[in-house]
Amino acid sequence: MSDIKPVHVLNGPNLNLLGTREPAVYGRATLADIEALCRETAGRLGAVIVFEQTNHEGVLIDWIQRAGREAGAIVINPAAYTHTSIALLDALKGVDVPAVEVHLSQPAAREPFRAASYAAPAAAGSIAGFGAMGYALAVEAAVRLARARMAEREKGS
Ligand code: CA2
């Protein structure tokens, strides 16, 4: 049995600031800590990750399209673009790769403008409110989805 393609873990604007401000909302883990947690989680499951962060909407869209060609599954925290970006929704709908939406905080319990997500309609599922641990849960879900997708394809061929 062949193994799955890498899980692409994509992070949106300002998440590079994690660990420096707003610890009550986002926790004390830095993005480097979260990357290490994702690598460790994937490694335990026999998978590998590509981990990226950008402050630019178009770059995030490019990376989603690249994941469509190169990834077995996507984990995405689009940060504020979650609530604003139709381009994000279109990009996720445009790739034939399962996506798991992740948020450190629970946006639905915060300001009303955070209640809506443009990622959710195109995601296999969403994990929110568990801090850094949510990324470990999301990577595990993504690996399982990628393996299930591969098993389906192998059965069909
Ligand atoms: O809870 C999440 O993961 C969010 O995606 C984080 C976004 C926010 O806009 C979403 O509603 C929910 C914000 C990320 C900004 O992170 C910062 C971290 C430290 C200091 C300043 C910003």
Side-chain angles (χ1 to χ4, degrees), residues 9-81:
V9 184
L10 306 179
N11 294 280
N14 297 308
L15 287 165
N16 54 312
L17 299 177
L18 283 175
T20 63
R21 290 184 49 213
E22 299 206 67
V25 182
Y26 300 121
R28 295 199 177 276
T30 64
L31 198 61
D33 295 333
I34 290 174
E35 177 174 357
L37 176 64
C38 289
R39 278 192 200 289
E40 182 200 308
T41 304
R44 198 166 31 79
L45 299 169
V48 296
I49 61 158
V50 170
F51 193 95
E52 312 263 32
Q53 187 274 331
T54 179
N55 291 328
H56 304 279
E57 185 175 11
V59 173
L60 196 59
I61 303 308
D62 286 344
W63 286 347
I64 293 168
Q65 292 186 8
R66 183 187 62 184
R69 300 185 298 272
E70 300 177 6
I74 298 169
V75 169
I76 187 161
N77 183 348
Y81 292 139

Side-chain angles (χ1 to χ4, degrees), residues 56-134:
H56 304 279
E57 185 175 11
V59 173
L60 196 59
I61 303 308
D62 286 344
W63 286 347
I64 293 168
Q65 292 186 8
R66 183 187 62 184
R69 300 185 298 272
E70 300 177 6
I74 298 169
V75 169
I76 187 161
N77 183 348
Y81 292 139
T82 306
H83 318 299
T84 64
S85 178
I86 298 168
L88 168 72
L89 172 63
D90 289 345
L92 288 171
K93 279 189 163 170
V95 296
D96 187 21
V97 170
V100 179
E101 177 186 13
V102 65
H103 298 284
L104 294 152
S105 67
Q106 169 61 295
R110 298 176 63 193
E111 302 96 324
F113 63 82
R114 294 187 203 273
S117 167
Y118 281 107
S126 305
I127 296 169
F130 297 110
M133 179 178 66

